[in-house]
Amino acid sequence: MRLPIWSGVATLAVSLTLYPLFAGGAWLWGSLGAVLAVTVAGVVSSRLTLPGWAAPVLGLVALGVYLTAVYTGEKAWALLVPTKESAGALLDLLVTGFADIQRFAAPVPDDPPIAMLTTAGVGLIAIVVDLFVTRLRRAALAGLPLLALFTVPAAVLPDPIGWPAFILGALGFTSLLIADGRERVGHWGRAVLVRRSRAAESGNQETADTRGLRLSGKRIGFTAIALAVVLPALLPTLEPDPLFGFGVGGSGKGKGGTISVPDPVANLRGRLQLPENTAVLSYTSSDDAPRYLRIYALDVFDGERWTMTKMKGRPENRVDQGPLPPPPGLAPSTKTSRVETDIQISDDVDPLEFLPLPYPPQLVRAEGDWRADVDSLMVFSSGDLASGLQYQVVSTEPEPTADQLDASSERPEIDPRYVQLPELPTRIRELATEVVADSPTKYEAAVKLQQFFTRTGGFTYSLETQGHDTEALTDFLIQSRTGYCEQFASAMAVLARSIGIPARVAIGYTGGTKIESRWEVRTHDSHAWPELYFEGVGWLAFEPTPAGSAGQGTARVPDYSLPRPAETTPSTDDPSTSPTTGSDTPSGAPNSRDRLRELDPEGVYSGPITPVESTPLWVKIGLGVAALLVLLLIPAMVRLVIRNRRVRALTWKISGPSDEVTARAEKVDRSVAAAWAELDDVLCDYGMARAPSETPRALARRLTQQHEFDAEAAGAITAIASAVERLLFARDPGSITPLKRELRIVRRALAATASRGRRIRATLLPPSTLLRMRGVGERVLDGFDRLENIRLWSRAARRNA
């Protein structure tokens, strides 16, 4: 009866390691119900002594009924019994869940398809574990399906699994093994009993005593778990494999093992809706002008969402190896400006494996293993995080003219994926053609697209909109025309691709707000904008999102994306061109700079950059050794605290005549008890422990004779023993003086008889403290025993029932 229950407990404990994969908790409650359903089926199978093959079948039936009731109950008979319609609905949810987990990266949305898929998976694992443990009696093999469940977050997440979740999972499996061992030994005990006593006839049947086995198993299990948690923290990490590649939901080798890119679009909306507008980073630039800081470049649109292609980071692309790869499409003849930016990331930002950078970065100085993707120039790491990092960036920002952009090639030399689109509604393509009608060049068409969103299209900014698939895109462009920066950026990129302009969506931060001498970027400055490609200039940022108080507050329109002066028709109602927003002024444009310097003739930055001060290796090793020493000295510190507390109790003062009787008696009792307890610990530390049956007088006599105490030491140990005996056995203990001096004399005499190694051990690793810590651990294990032995009703009641 116990094994099916412990199988369910172990499965549920290991499944808790899945929590970082999800953005909500529906999967947890669903998985809990699935495990309970399988566990009840296992208990029923054991109770009815069904054949081994029937138990998994009954478990599958119970799991199917549970999934039907929870996820498709409205299509089932009596909300419970599966029907053809409910089975079809479950299958649809299963297919949708598989498709969703391929598109999303952790943490995935906790929608019904993904929750149902997770619940079914955990339920199947519970059935397999019950089969191994209860039916095949191979509890150790049950670790294989549990390990398969455990490796899911370990393979997907960029960070190690949290130690609390690991400990819970390990405790679940350890408890399962202990329960199996207890069950086996219990059967052995009943098998060898021959005589039946009256107790057996009355129902108190003898069973084998498995308490020692349980205690030993728990000690081994707890020790193994503790070592598994502590040792990795003390071991140095290995250098990453230099040939790794990353992508959305993908993995690669590195310090952290894998890197997963969260859903940038989902995270963007969440940051914009946070009630607190907290600081994310601050920066200074050589021209003291704001600029957009890009984190992600999304170049694939599948009709549902924008994602990025797999990235590659090779040894030659480490940022500390020199200049980054040249920006794609930027011709040497194009005029560029060099801008130096010093960025400080806040310590409180969420884990981020990408660096926010002005585009295009030409040189990055950052501590850690940071690498650049050749195609997008995103800078990322597999083992380092951006939180708390200070780094410097040199960017070579193009300053194109309208004539140069007009003359850019109609057929750019770039990967075709930047113009690929899925099947789109005809209305969207017709709208794009209508908006850019009569545009002689691709550049003029891009300017008209931006004007369509910021001025002529009647769009409004709102964070209340949801969705970014084809249906939501159609609604945004044709009907509601209400959205936030993600809809504006995505829609402009789609329209640009539909007329042949390579486009992608960038996600990062706007330039923020100037506070004293630094620009400060906060969570509400999170932003998305389109980047369009023009041959000879490369990727340029456009701004279709309304700015100012009626839109994204710190958004700024690049000056190269504005209509030519002869074609401009200012509107005081347009927030993107209102003087109060500063969006049309040259100082507000992402690429407009006042005090710029050119690159040297070789195109490589050679000017001064303040180096990032890294912690020397010897300092890190020293800190690690110091932490280890502090850990090892915990028993000594505990012993010192206990000794000081006892020494303070060895002396007392009487406050006045009224306190003479009661207060003196209490203080004398505490003083003698402290002296005796301290003497016991001193003897234990020096390897001279008192036998349990040895009286105080016998102890004093043995120590005096065995170690040949002088008269002073013999008198001191005799005084302590006499005080203890009188306090314990005499009706009137008489006058007892403080024993502080006597205890010090005895401790000195005992130390003189011990070897140097014994004295060092008594100081650094006192056995008395170690035994006390061991006792605490045993009491904790005894607590687990009491939990195991809890019974809702007695054995006799169960037998009578």
Side-chain angles (χ1 to χ4, degrees), residues 148-219:
L149 186 62
F150 181 82
T151 55
V152 173
V156 173
L157 296 175
D159 298 322
I161 296 175
W163 61 267
F166 167 77
I167 290 177
L168 286 176
L171 286 176
F173 182 56
T174 303
S175 302
L176 179 61
L177 295 178
I178 293 173
D180 178 71
R182 181 181 179 183
E183 188 80 9
R184 291 174 181 272
V185 175
H187 285 307
W188 295 345
R190 287 192 294 271
V192 298
L193 289 177
V194 177
R195 289 180 56 189
R196 301 291 181 180
S197 62
R198 294 181 180 178
E201 294 174 358
S202 62
N204 296 327
Q205 184 175 346
E206 296 184 33
T207 60
D209 187 1
T210 61
R211 288 176 295 177
L213 176 67
R214 296 201 307 273
L215 184 59
S216 299
K218 289 173 184 176
R219 288 174 179 171

Side-chain angles (χ1 to χ4, degrees), residues 183-325:
E183 188 80 9
R184 291 174 181 272
V185 175
H187 285 307
W188 295 345
R190 287 192 294 271
V192 298
L193 289 177
V194 177
R195 289 180 56 189
R196 301 291 181 180
S197 62
R198 294 181 180 178
E201 294 174 358
S202 62
N204 296 327
Q205 184 175 346
E206 296 184 33
T207 60
D209 187 1
T210 61
R211 288 176 295 177
L213 176 67
R214 296 201 307 273
L215 184 59
S216 299
K218 289 173 184 176
R219 288 174 179 171
I220 295 173
F222 276 76
T223 302
I225 295 171
L227 291 177
V229 173
V230 174
L231 283 183
L234 303 178
L235 296 177
T237 56
L238 301 177
E239 285 297 321
D241 187 341
L243 300 176
F244 56 82
F246 306 133
V248 174
S251 62
K253 299 175 183 177
K255 289 179 183 178
T258 63
I259 181 172
S260 297
V261 182
D263 185 352
V265 174
N267 289 349
L268 170 65
R269 184 170 185 270
R271 288 193 297 269
L272 289 173
Q273 290 184 321
L274 287 175
E276 297 182 0
N277 191 19
T278 58
V280 175
L281 60 89
S282 64
Y283 66 93
T284 60
S285 59
S286 58
D287 59 355
D288 198 29
R291 54 184 33 83
Y292 283 14
L293 301 176
R294 191 193 65 171
I295 302 177
Y296 308 108
L298 312 181
D299 55 1
V300 177
F301 182 64
D302 59 3
E304 296 287 335
R305 62 181 56 245
W306 285 87
T307 57
M308 67 180 71
T309 55
K310 190 175 183 180
M311 300 176 296
K312 294 180 180 179
R314 300 184 181 277
E316 60 269 21
N317 299 132
R318 286 174 60 114
V319 299
D320 57 7
Q321 298 297 316
L324 274 61

Side-chain angles (χ1 to χ4, degrees), residues 218 222 774-786:
K218 289 173 184 176
F222 276 76
R774 175 183 175 183
V776 172
E778 290 182 352
R779 285 194 294 272
V780 172
L781 297 179
D782 290 340
F784 281 101
D785 279 341
R786 285 191 289 272

Side-chain angles (χ1 to χ4, degrees), residues 667-792:
K667 293 177 180 179
V668 167
D669 290 349
R670 288 198 301 268
S671 175
V672 174
W676 186 245
E678 180 62 20
L679 179 60
D680 253 349
D681 282 355
V682 171
L683 293 173
C684 179
D685 293 341
Y686 289 141
M688 311 169 188
R690 177 176 61 91
S693 60
E694 198 170 19
T695 64
R697 184 176 305 179
L699 174 66
R701 184 169 54 250
R702 176 175 66 83
L703 293 177
T704 302
Q705 297 174 356
Q706 181 178 352
H707 300 292
E708 299 180 352
F709 282 173
D710 57 18
E712 184 181 34
I717 187 65
T718 301
I720 295 175
S722 175
V724 173
E725 284 189 341
R726 281 186 290 158
L727 192 65
L728 291 176
F729 306 116
R731 176 176 298 178
D732 182 9
S735 177
I736 298 179
T737 60
L739 301 172
K740 183 176 181 180
R741 175 178 174 275
E742 286 78 4
L743 183 62
R744 183 172 62 251
I745 294 173
V746 172
R747 186 191 302 122
R748 189 184 308 118
L750 293 174
T753 63
S755 63
R756 177 179 299 179
R758 175 72 71 174
R759 291 197 301 270
I760 293 175
R761 181 189 176 190
T763 302
L764 300 180
L765 291 173
S768 60
T769 304
L770 297 178
L771 289 175
R772 189 171 287 109
M773 296 171 66
R774 175 183 175 183
V776 172
E778 290 182 352
R779 285 194 294 272
V780 172
L781 297 179
D782 290 340
F784 281 101
D785 279 341
R786 285 191 289 272
L787 290 177
E788 289 181 1
N789 293 327
I790 292 177
R791 298 290 183 271
L792 296 180

Side-chain angles (χ1 to χ4, degrees), residues 349-365:
V349 299
D350 293 333
L352 181 63
E353 295 163 320
F354 289 73
L355 294 183
L357 300 171
Y359 184 86
Q362 198 261 338
L363 186 68
V364 178
R365 295 283 179 86

